[in-house]
């Protein structure tokens, strides 16, 4: 999707204030149809939580924490795996984004939450990395493609916490080496000292990072933006106002980084 174009130092993938439709091939939105009152993905004002579809039961954010002056994408469901935003849609050509840092601006709804990114190495081998607030330990699964599941923790809330908006920064290249333990074994013909040939299984590790193939954000969160960058600077280039979070009802810019 982006592999054949020159990629700038900051590449925006999703913005909740944009006017484009969340539909294939660039986006896929899914909600658990068995729980229509509790499972939905919709655009809301972060401060007022409006407009809300009739019959929907909102998982409302804690009002003691500051909102932002933006429309956001609200993703909620008791069944995380069935409710998500994916970019690109299943069956579409992969993103092909070569920038090594992934950033997400999200609001913690104090419920379970996950997000996932697809990685491709220099040999075209694919892997998945999932981050979840409910995961206790990092684990790998030899699925197809293999999965690395990593615990994620939002910043600890203290008496000084003003907002539950957070900028999540993920450095993608180092994650591939942790996927190598799930790589399938391939037979290798070997000759021993007596001239006997036999098949020896060999596990081929992942090579260097090539690109990200997709990003998937599950329930439960409020999502403001997804972007990639070259250097991991969550604030982007000097003057990149569109990458900042602006507080509702107060002037000034909310600090970004670990706490949004």
């Amino acid at each position: 999707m982006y592999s054949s174009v020159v990629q700038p130092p900051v590449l925006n993938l999703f913005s909740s204030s944009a006017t484009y439709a969340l539909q294939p091939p660039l986006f896929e939105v899914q909600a658990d149809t068995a729980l229509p009152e509790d499972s939905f993905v919709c655009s809301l004002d972060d401060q007022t939580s409006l407009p809300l579809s009739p019959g929907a039961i909102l998982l409302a954010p804690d009002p003691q924490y500051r909102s932002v002056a933006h429309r956001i994408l609200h993703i909620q469901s008791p069944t995380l795996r069935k409710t998500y935003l994916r970019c690109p849609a299943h069956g579409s050509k992969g993103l092909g984004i070569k920038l090594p840092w992934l950033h997400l601006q999200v609001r913690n709804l104090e419920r379970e939450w996950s997000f996932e990114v697809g990685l491709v190495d220099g040999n075209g081998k694919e892997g998945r990395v999932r981050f979840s607030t409910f995961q206790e330990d990092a684990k790998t699964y030899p699925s197809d493609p293999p999965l690395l599941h990593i615990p994620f923790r939002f910043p600890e809330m203290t008496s000084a916490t003003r907002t539950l908006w957070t900028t999540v920064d993920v450095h993608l290249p180092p994650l591939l080496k942790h996927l190598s333990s799930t790589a399938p074994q391939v037979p290798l013909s070997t000759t021993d000292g007596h001239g006997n040939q036999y098949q020896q299984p060999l596990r081929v590790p992942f090579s260097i990072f090539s690109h990200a193939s997709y990003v998937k954000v599950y329930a439960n969160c409020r999502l403001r933006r997804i972007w990639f960058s070259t250097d991991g600077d969550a604030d982007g280039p000097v003057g990149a106002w569109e990458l900042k979070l602006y507080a509702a009802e107060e002037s000034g810019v909310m600090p970004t980084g670990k706490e949004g």
Side-chain angles (χ1 to χ4, degrees):
M1 189 167 285
Y2 291 98
S3 59
S4 61
V5 301
V6 177
Q7 299 180 12
V10 175
L11 196 160
N12 291 310
L13 188 62
F14 167 81
S15 171
S16 61
S17 60
T19 56
Y20 46 68
L22 297 179
Q23 60 187 26
L26 187 55
F27 296 103
E28 177 184 340
V29 175
Q30 293 289 342
D32 188 352
T33 55
L35 300 168
E37 294 182 343
D38 301 304
S39 301
F40 51 89
V41 180
C42 63
S43 177
L44 300 175
D45 181 276
D46 186 48
Q47 185 178 15
T48 65
S49 294
L50 297 173
L52 190 64
S53 300
I57 301 175
L58 181 71
L59 176 59
D62 191 330
Q64 70 173 304
Y65 298 108
R66 297 298 310 280
S67 300
V68 293
H70 302 287
R71 290 189 69 84
I72 51 80
L73 192 69
H74 182 94
I75 309 174
Q76 77 165 61
S77 178
T79 50
L80 274 66
R81 64 185 180 86
K82 293 184 178 181
T83 306
Y84 57 83
L85 168 75
R86 190 186 194 275
C87 181
H90 283 95
S92 301
K93 187 177 180 180
L95 291 175
I97 295 179
K98 302 179 182 298
L99 306 182
W101 284 87
L102 168 66
H103 310 274
L104 303 93
Q105 284 176 346
V106 294
R107 182 170 184 167
N108 177 11
L109 293 180
E110 302 178 79
R111 296 291 193 276
E112 292 182 342
W113 175 61
S114 287
F115 71 95
E116 182 177 313
V117 58
L119 303 180
V120 181
D121 74 358
N123 296 321
K125 188 184 301 182
E126 298 182 20
R128 299 176 294 153
V129 181
R130 183 180 301 153
F131 300 82
S132 300
T133 58
F134 53 84
Q135 185 74 4
E136 296 294 333
D137 302 297
K139 294 183 179 180
T140 54
Y141 301 89
S143 52
D144 185 21
L147 171 68
L148 170 63
H149 202 171
I150 299 177
F152 175 83
R153 299 291 180 267
F154 280 107
E156 182 179 357
M157 291 181 288
T158 68
S159 58
T161 301
R162 294 188 298 157
T163 178
L164 296 186
W165 277 97
T166 301
T167 301
V168 179
D169 310 310
V170 182
H171 193 207
L172 302 176
L175 298 174
L176 281 172
K177 67 178 182 181
H178 298 290
L179 277 165
S180 291
S181 62
T182 66
Q185 294 183 337
V186 296
L188 177 68
S189 296
T190 304
T191 303
D192 62 19
H194 301 285
N196 300 316
Q197 289 190 344
Y198 61 95
Q199 297 288 323
Q200 178 180 356
L202 176 68
R203 195 179 301 277
V204 180
F206 278 79
S207 66
I208 60 172
F209 171 76
S210 173
H211 60 270
S213 57
Y214 72 89
V215 178
K216 194 173 185 179
V217 181
Y218 295 91
N220 293 278
C221 73
R222 287 190 166 184
L223 179 64
R224 164 70 178 135
R225 188 176 294 275
I226 305 172
W227 74 100
F228 289 82
S229 73
T230 56
D231 58 8
D233 183 1
D235 290 330
V238 176
W241 59 268
E242 70 275 12
L243 298 183
K244 302 182 186 298
L245 292 169
Y246 293 83
E249 296 184 342
E250 288 186 358
S251 60
V253 179
M254 286 189 176
T256 58
K258 295 302 178 185
E259 181 178 308

